Amino acid sequence: MTLARSGSTAPESLQGPAAVEASVAPALEVHQVSLNYGAHQVLHQVSLSVAAGHTTAIVGPSGSGKTSLLRVIAGFLRPDSGEVALHGKQVTKTAAHRRSIGLVSQDGALFPHLSVGRNIAFGLPRRQRTAAAVSDLLDLVSLPAEYARRRPDQLSGGQRQRVSLARAMARQPDIILLDEPFSALDAGLRERTRKAVQKVLRSTGTTALLVTHDQDEALSFAQSVAVLQGGRVQQMGAPERVYQYPVNVATAEFLGEAVVLSATVTAPHRAACVLGEVTLRQAAAEGRAQLLLRPEQLMVVPAREENLGQVLDADYFGHDTTALIRIHGSGETVRVRQLNSAPLRIGDAVGLEVTGTGVAFPG
């Protein structure tokens, strides 16, 4: 049983709700899809593209339309307008069971009355439902062959998700849809399972679409990230691109902790704020602006009059402390992340310096 697929190169990063331009043909294309639940519009002309052999994450807050979009792609819902194509073939009106799509859900959705082996075999064509084929699939997801005799309730949460992935991959679908598959796992198991699934997908060249509300998961798991808010794709591109070059403040704040300061753009690549002059990583129009930085860019240094601040709150996390600091003379507050070689305490007087570059939005 051969599961390997041809490799491909990473898609070029893009901004905005545009399809990813890739050097390989897309496995999945969603074009101008809109969906209504009665009078409520859930998806607004959503377009995205997933390159063959790549993993894309759709990330967004609860109610943003992520699961509805996944159900449209899977064929469980028919859009009010727009099209869905797999490898260039229109499947918008094709029944779900006739689409070459595998699905891994949040709880794994294994049949509780069947053994692990029979659960996996269920995903195979009848003529291929052999012990050897099941063993190959278990090996693919790094589970011993003897697990085939176990029942789902004898597995850990992470093992159940691996079995669910093995079943979904059994038919070698055109694309695997992952619907928040790690959200029910505890933090340590979640990370290990995510890495195991990521390894399987990349080693086999399987095209995958992950839906998640976890920003860290989306940025670390996928080769491309689409940010969905209010049923619209706000931005799509490589993880580092959408994190470092967000299209607006709302997208920046969703993708991670953000420090937003009042500023004045004094030159295309320079802005002045309460923390001093900051270099901009992309040109901005001169005038009033909102300056975006990340907490990890703010360094605590010995206090001086020009950068004096006071710690208002501090959360200790062992490896680091996140602190809220009020900047003297401005009333503005910023959140910083400081390694615990020098822990911060409420009431401390500190100085702040900016490292790296920022992004300015019209203010």
Side-chain angles (χ1 to χ4, degrees), residues 47-93:
S47 294
L48 58 85
S49 178
V50 181
H54 286 245
T55 299
T56 292
I58 299 175
V59 64
S62 297
S64 60
K66 305 185 302 296
T67 297
S68 294
L69 178 57
L70 200 74
R71 290 174 64 83
V72 167
I73 294 168
F76 302 140
L77 293 174
R78 183 171 293 182
D80 292 284
S81 62
E83 298 176 334
V84 178
L86 290 173
H87 290 292
K89 180 181 178 181
Q90 289 295 324
V91 296
T92 313
K93 298 181 180 180

Side-chain angles (χ1 to χ4, degrees), residues 16 41 81 88 102 109 130-131 153 170 172 178 186 220 236 239-241 261 264 276 279 299 318 331 339 352 360 363:
Q41 189 167 8
S81 62
T130 65
D153 62 4
Q172 300 186 52
L178 304 162
D186 62 59
S220 64
M236 185 171 183
E240 59 273 15
R241 183 73 182 181
L261 296 171
T264 301
T279 301
M299 304 297 293
L339 294 177
L352 291 172

Side-chain angles (χ1 to χ4, degrees), residues 13-16 234-236 238-248 251-252 255 269 280-283 292 294 357-359 361:
S13 302
L14 291 178
Q15 292 191 48
Q234 298 294 324
Q235 187 172 5
M236 185 171 183
E240 59 273 15
R241 183 73 182 181
V242 296
Y243 185 78
Q244 294 180 11
Y245 296 88
V247 293
N248 52 45
T251 300
L255 286 172
H269 287 276
L280 303 178
R281 65 180 69 113
Q282 59 186 9
L292 168 72
R294 297 294 185 182
T357 57
V359 177
F361 301 102

